[in-house]
């Protein structure tokens, strides 16, 4: 297949066939920008009282897209181009005088099999009192290589890069400061575990 059919390589580890990294077509960046716009519009509508909540069904996804490619040591960008939720949080907390909505704080609750390394990287690489990032995801120290035998079956590989455990790796196993609450839920995330995390930890 030609690149215009299978997609262009968007990150250096892309194999052009959708593998473990990120490819795109001529409409990918426009779609990613539209996803950011949708998230910001949703915040506008909620803060403006037009609705009490919103759901943005957009693609491509975003929570692995950080300040740079492969944020926090990930082997790939996980199909993410831009990070809509991080953009929306920044917009919400930017002062009115600078074109934002002037909120004092934004909380991002991320529930996915994978840790949102990109969102944590953008909002909480260092402590910022404007942001609280909470992630529930598969993983944990033993799963991501601290106490395992490091068998080949436990290693992700993109090109010549290797990473142990569950993508994006060890970055979600611990919380670096009070602005981050990472909740690794083991090798398989179950509904009960997510509910318990909400009631016992987040609340």
């Amino acid at each position: 297949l030609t690149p215009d059919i299978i997609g262009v390589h968007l990150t250096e580890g892309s194999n052009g066939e959708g593998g473990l990294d990120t490819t795109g077509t001529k409409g990918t960046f426009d779609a990613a920008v539209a996803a950011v716009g949708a998230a910001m519009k949703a915040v506008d509508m909620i803060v403006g009282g037009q609705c009490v909540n919103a759901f943005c069904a957009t693609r491509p996804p975003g929570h692995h897209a950080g300040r740079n490619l492969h944020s926090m040591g990930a082997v790939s960008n996980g199909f993410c181009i831009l990070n809509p939720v991080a953009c929306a949080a920044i917009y919400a907390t930017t002062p009115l005088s600078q074109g934002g909505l002037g909120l004092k704080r934004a909380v991002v609750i991320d529930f996915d099999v994978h840790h949102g390394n990109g969102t944590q990287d953008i909002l909480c690489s260092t402590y910022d009192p404007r942001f609280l990032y909470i992630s529930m995801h598969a993983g944990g120290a033993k799963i991501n290589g601290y106490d395992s035998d490091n068998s080949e079956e436990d290693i992700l590989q993109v090109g010549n890069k290797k990473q142990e455990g569950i993508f994006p790796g060890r970055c979600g196993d611990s919380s670096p400061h009070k602005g981050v609450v990472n909740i690794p839920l083991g090798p398989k995330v179950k509904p009960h575990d997510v509910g318990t995390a909400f009631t016992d930890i987040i609340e």
Side-chain angles (χ1 to χ4, degrees), residues 38-179:
M40 294 174 68
K41 181 64 175 178
V43 172
D44 264 333
M45 294 178 70
I46 293 168
V47 174
Q50 295 171 266
C51 59
V52 295
N53 54 45
F55 177 76
C56 299
T58 58
R59 281 292 185 263
H63 76 161
H64 298 307
R67 296 170 183 262
N68 299 292
L69 289 176
H70 307 164
S71 66
M72 300 184 72
V75 293
S76 85
N77 235 47
F79 306 106
C80 299
I81 311 301
L82 301 176
N83 194 316
V85 72
C87 291
I90 292 169
Y91 171 57
T93 57
T94 296
L96 291 168
S97 62
Q98 297 177 24
L101 298 178
L103 300 185
K104 291 183 178 180
R105 199 167 194 205
V107 178
V108 174
I109 300 177
D110 187 340
F111 49 97
D112 189 280
V113 69
H114 298 138
H115 173 250
N117 57 310
T119 306
Q120 180 176 320
D121 178 42
I122 292 172
L123 300 179
C124 300
S125 57
T126 59
Y127 176 66
D128 185 330
R130 295 177 300 166
F131 305 119
L132 174 62
Y133 175 68
I134 301 170
S135 177
M136 294 171 286
H137 51 270
K142 185 174 182 180
I143 296 161
N144 283 326
Y146 295 117
D147 299 312
S148 73
D149 295 329
N150 295 326
S151 69
E152 288 299 318
E153 294 179 358
D154 295 330
I155 296 177
L156 303 171
Q157 183 161 351
V158 177
N160 60 359
K161 297 180 179 180
K162 291 184 178 181
Q163 183 173 57
E164 297 168 352
I166 297 173
F167 180 82
R170 297 177 176 176
C171 51
D173 289 344
S174 60
S175 302
H177 53 71
K178 64 182 180 179

